Amino acid sequence: MYTTRFLDLPPLAAAAGTVRLPGSKSISNRVLLLAGLSEGITEVHALLDSDDTQVMLAALQQLGCVLERDGGVLRVTGLGGRLGVHDAQLFLGNAGTAMRPLAAALALLAATQGGDFRLSGVPRMHERPIGDLVDALRQLGCTIDYTGNDGYPPLRLRGTAGGRLSTAKAIRVRGDVSSQFLTALLLALPLVAKDSHIAIEVDGELISKPYVEITLNLLARFGIVVQREGWQRFTIPAGSTYRSPGRVHVEGDASSASYFVALGAIAAVDAPVRIEGVGTDSIQGDIRFIEAARAMGAEVSGGPGCLEVRRGTWPLRAITLDCNHIPDAAMTLAVMALFVQGTTRLTNIASWRVKETDRIAAMAAELRKLGATVDEGADFIAVTPPAQLTPAAIHTYDDHRVAMCFSLAAFAGVPVRILDPKCVAKTFPDYFEALFDLVRTPVEAIPVITVDGPTASGKGTLASAVAKALGYHFLDSGAVYRATALSAMRIGVAAGDEAALARIAATLPLHFVGGDAHLGDQNVADALRAEDVGAMASKVSAWPAVREALRQLQLSFRRLPGLVADGRDMGTVIFPGADLKVFLTASAATRAERRHKQLISKGISSNIATLRADLEARDERDRNRSVAPLKPAEDALLLDNSELTVEASMAQVLQAWEQRRPFA
Ligand code: DC
């Protein structure tokens, strides 16, 4: 997962390959709640692991459910409808799929079994309406207080044991703000339908019906068959009890699939994008996104549990579509609209305004940054792309879907910056990794920053810090030479045997695991830092055949979203076209002192004068060798960090990088 402040996507070209989707958020949280309320144990397979499911899991655990993980399976021991814990404060983040149904279930349980529960979330959660659900629950006789603003969380739910609810009359609930109110009631009311049936009547036109269908489908799997008259009246039969089906498999998230369907429509030019985990048999309403994608020109085929998408009509076709049936996935259409000629109109999307953010306002603002003409109203958005997009830094409003759908704009030939990329953790923590896996971008388009300099100049520390700040890959090219040296020392190959050294280099089993160098399956991170290995590396690296043999290995680190490479010749030989080249120096005295401190911290004793003489000798050799001598690239930024902290050097490099970026 990218936890950086921003993630820059270079202009992207084609895409192909297979993505395995994480589990559906809607199914995961409903299944967790149902399993939590059921008698007995439910084995949940392929559960989504994300922020929204984490808060639901934490809440269930606080309420006394036992959760056991076993590989990819979660075993939930339910409460059997009986409260074990009667007093709890639950923090539910920004998860509407946790807040609404838990509010309903705990209000009913507190009212009948006694309890005092406080439900809160992040500030945005406290701006998302819940009044219609509270009103419906109050009709039954539940005691619910708003402890912040009326109509919004946080909530306090109270009751005394033995309390009775009035379930004889049908409960009325509004259906035109969020279908989650109805879903919450449907999921929770079986708790109090032992003796008599309970009816729910929906006021207003029910929106997002497919989500209610998921609710009904999952309730049926847990033994509760709701009778439905149109979309107006729902009846929970008397004697309903939650019965665990024993095992539930969570299908992949159909809303998450939309980004990859769109990716295929935009960029699967030579080979298809294959999506696994969700297919045409899905119970999720957002699967109908594929109809919209087809209408825009995508070629989509599919079967049970999988989809395959290719680019069809190009440019895509503008459409006008009532999106009430696919509210979440429809955001992806608004970005696909950048790839059409003409105006795409998405209507009947008023619910966007009460989601993670006001999504109509958010989409309009960010599409405009890219140069699109956007018309927005209370319940629609119309998007017309410009002839040429403008690179833009996309604000993501802590809304995972804004971040994910705007990543596709990078296929319109411009770099795109996604601010706060970690917001995708709500439903798809590894979204960007999954995207990069499928993207086929010419290597020259992948940004590179090089940091060269003499030994002990601090370039490794600086380069890895810069890589971390940008979310880029990191290459410590010194490790490549050190690993060759170490391998040679271990088998007794001499520093003068160029041919044998080159053979070692050509088949070096070097790879990195979490930043640590490994030779084969052995972690050699510490072994590589030894002084004798460094000295041998300096000699080994003077041989042209060795350098040539290690070239390809170094080039292979250039992968999306970008690379920061440090060494001696990164900017001059290996990546001469790098987007930013830094040449880092420090006085020999400073460098000797730094190395001395480094060695002491590792418990190795040393002498500053000897260290200084050593590193000057090594500089001399690195500078005067015939191939790839140590010298600054002509266009390098020269940075003497003798007097600078790592943070100060990093700030200078990041500032220089920012100046080369096209984002205002
Ligand atoms: O940066 P370092 O101390 O880990 O590098 C070890 C040796 O490898 C150094 O003496 C020179 C050599 N080297 C090189 O020739 N070219 C590079 N790009 C990186 C290191």
Side-chain angles (χ1 to χ4, degrees):
M1 187 171 71
Y2 288 91
T3 54
T4 47
R5 269 197 318 114
F6 57 82
L7 178 62
D8 285 353
L9 309 175
L12 301 174
T18 300
V19 61
R20 173 112 214 141
L21 292 174
S24 152
K25 170 184 72 159
S26 305
I27 297 178
S28 292
N29 268 357
R30 282 170 176 78
V31 164
L32 286 177
L33 184 80
L34 289 168
L37 296 176
S38 294
E39 184 89 51
I41 295 177
T42 309
E43 264 190 14
V44 189
H45 293 251
L47 184 76
L48 170 65
D49 183 8
S50 76
D51 290 353
D52 277 13
T53 52
Q54 286 303 331
V55 294
M56 180 62 108
L57 287 168
L60 290 178
Q61 210 155 17
Q62 265 180 279
L63 293 171
C65 296
V66 178
L67 309 176
E68 295 158 288
R69 271 190 199 283
D70 184 1
V73 181
L74 178 78
R75 251 190 302 281
V76 182
T77 307
L79 301 173
R82 283 175 307 277
L83 274 180
V85 173
H86 292 263
D87 196 318
Q89 297 203 15
L90 306 179
F91 175 76
L92 302 172
N94 197 9
T97 55
M99 176 61 81
R100 278 74 179 256
L102 278 170
L106 291 173
L108 297 172
L109 289 168
T112 50
Q113 299 176 24
D116 187 352
F117 299 100
R118 290 167 189 270
L119 273 50
S120 65
V122 298
R124 173 63 188 168
M125 188 78 243
H126 298 170
E127 294 170 2
R128 297 176 67 183
I130 198 164
D132 295 323
L133 175 62
V134 169
D135 290 347
L137 292 163
R138 282 175 174 168
Q139 291 166 45
L140 286 156
C142 296
T143 306
I144 305 175
D145 303 318
Y146 295 112
T147 56
N149 292 329
D150 272 8
Y152 301 88
L155 300 178
R156 184 171 182 193
L157 319 167
R158 278 179 299 162
T160 40
R164 295 198 59 82
L165 294 171
S166 42
T167 53
K169 244 181 47 207
I171 300 155
R172 307 199 68 86
V173 65
R174 271 183 70 176
D176 53 355
V177 175
S178 165
S179 67
Q180 283 184 13
F181 302 147
L182 175 59
T183 277
L185 291 172
L186 288 167
L187 289 173
L189 282 171
L191 282 169
V192 291
K194 297 265 170 333
D195 306 324
S196 61
H197 74 265
I198 305 180
I200 309 168
E201 279 179 8
V202 177
D203 285 334
E205 165 79 8
L206 178 65
I207 61 164
S208 314
K209 295 183 183 79
Y211 286 102
V212 175
E213 288 199 74
I214 298 180
T215 306
L216 297 176
N217 186 309
L218 294 174
L219 275 164
R221 284 201 222 168
F222 280 81
I224 291 158
V225 182
V226 178
Q227 288 147 19
R228 170 166 84 79
E229 288 154 55
W231 293 100
Q232 236 56 58
R233 192 181 162 92
F234 300 81
T235 306
I236 294 160
S240 290
T241 39
Y242 305 97
R243 271 195 312 277
S244 168
R247 181 180 185 281
V248 183
H249 180 87
V250 177
E251 50 175 82
D253 194 294
S255 315
S256 300
S258 74
Y259 313 112
F260 295 95
V261 173
L263 178 68
I266 295 165
V269 188
D270 303 320
V273 166
R274 187 181 157 83
I275 301 163
E276 290 182 352
V278 68
T280 46
D281 58 338
S282 172
I283 64 165
Q284 299 167 72
D286 269 357
I287 193 64
R288 290 186 61 200
F289 176 82
I290 63 181
E291 294 165 19
R294 278 187 188 128
M296 292 187 83
E299 275 181 21
V300 188
S301 60
C306 73
L307 298 170
E308 229 171 70
V309 191
R310 290 170 187 269
R311 185 198 269 187
T313 307
W314 191 258
L316 297 176
R317 276 189 297 263
I319 55 168
T320 293
L321 187 70
D322 179 327
C323 293
N324 196 267
H325 61 300
I326 49 168
D328 285 358
M331 292 168 75
T332 311
L333 298 174
V335 175
M336 287 173 79
L338 294 172
F339 300 86
V340 309
Q341 276 163 359
T343 302
T344 300
R345 254 184 110 79
L346 310 176
T347 64
N348 205 359
I349 50 168
S351 68
W352 280 22
R353 298 227 181 250
V354 296
K355 296 287 176 129
E356 280 79 344
T357 183
D358 176 341
R359 286 178 166 169
I360 294 183
M363 294 302 288
E366 303 314 305
L367 286 164
R368 284 185 188 123
K369 281 187 194 163
L370 289 162
T373 305
V374 183
D375 189 13
E376 57 164 311
D379 65 348
F380 79 91
I381 191 166
V383 184
T384 314
Q388 174 60 49
L389 260 65
T390 314
I394 303 297
H395 190 81
T396 51
Y397 308 86
D398 202 16
D399 185 342
H400 54 138
R401 300 207 184 286
V402 175
M404 293 192 276
C405 66
F406 272 97
S407 65
L408 300 170
F411 286 90
V414 288
V416 173
R417 169 169 290 183
I418 304 292
L419 298 169
D420 189 30
K422 71 173 180 312
C423 66
V424 300
K426 191 168 206 285
T427 51
F428 201 155
D430 293 332
Y431 170 73
F432 292 107
E433 290 84 344
L435 175 69
F436 295 150
D437 258 2
L438 297 189
V439 173
R440 309 274 176 269
T441 293
V443 76
E444 319 79 69
I446 300 173
V448 178
I449 300 174
T450 59
V451 183
D452 287 309
T455 194
S457 57
K459 61 193 179 326
T461 310
L462 174 66
S464 80
V466 170
K468 208 162 162 222
L470 297 174
Y472 283 3
H473 298 279
F474 169 56
L475 167 63
D476 164 14
S477 63
V480 168
Y481 291 96
R482 286 171 182 265
T484 307
L486 179 67
S487 301
M489 287 157 78
R490 283 180 172 174
I491 56 172
V493 169
D497 191 344
E498 180 174 8
L501 291 169
R503 275 196 299 279
I504 293 172
T507 56
L508 199 66
L510 177 71
H511 59 110
F512 290 83
V513 183
D516 277 1
H518 282 62
L519 275 175
D521 50 17
Q522 194 190 8
N523 187 331
V524 292
D526 286 336
L528 293 189
R529 300 315 306 171
E531 285 300 294
D532 57 339
V533 175
M536 176 75 165
S538 173
K539 292 174 195 151
V540 162
S541 62
W543 293 118
V546 172
R547 301 199 76 86
E548 190 48 39
L550 291 172
R551 189 188 177 85
Q552 208 47 48
L553 175 62
Q554 295 173 82
L555 290 175
S556 73
F557 280 79
R558 188 174 192 173
R559 292 193 304 267
L560 283 171
L563 173 68
V564 184
D566 86 71
R568 303 292 188 289
D569 62 342
M570 295 297 99
T572 48
V573 178
I574 305 295
F575 302 108
D579 304 75
L580 171 65
K581 300 172 185 175
V582 178
F583 194 85
L584 194 66
T585 50
S587 66
T590 310
R591 290 188 283 133
E593 218 170 281
R594 285 182 189 158
R595 174 123 314 156
H596 183 63
K597 278 199 190 126
Q598 214 176 38
L599 290 171
I600 287 178
S601 75
K602 286 188 194 149
I604 304 169
S605 63
S606 62
N607 169 299
I608 294 200
T610 326
L611 283 174
R612 180 169 172 170
D614 269 2
L615 64 86
E616 282 179 328
R618 201 179 303 177
D619 284 355
E620 203 49 30
R621 207 163 30 233
D622 291 348
R623 256 200 304 269
N624 294 319
R625 67 188 176 213
S626 59
V627 279
L630 172 65
K631 62 161 197 253
E634 270 170 26
D635 48 350
L637 167 77
L638 303 180
L639 184 60
D640 185 320
N641 72 357
S642 304
E643 307 290 328
L644 296 178
T645 61
V646 177
E647 291 72 30
S649 315
M650 186 161 107
Q652 288 203 22
V653 173
L654 288 177
Q655 193 192 2
W657 182 237
E658 211 42 47
Q659 281 163 2
R660 286 164 169 77
R661 305 271 78 196
F663 309 114

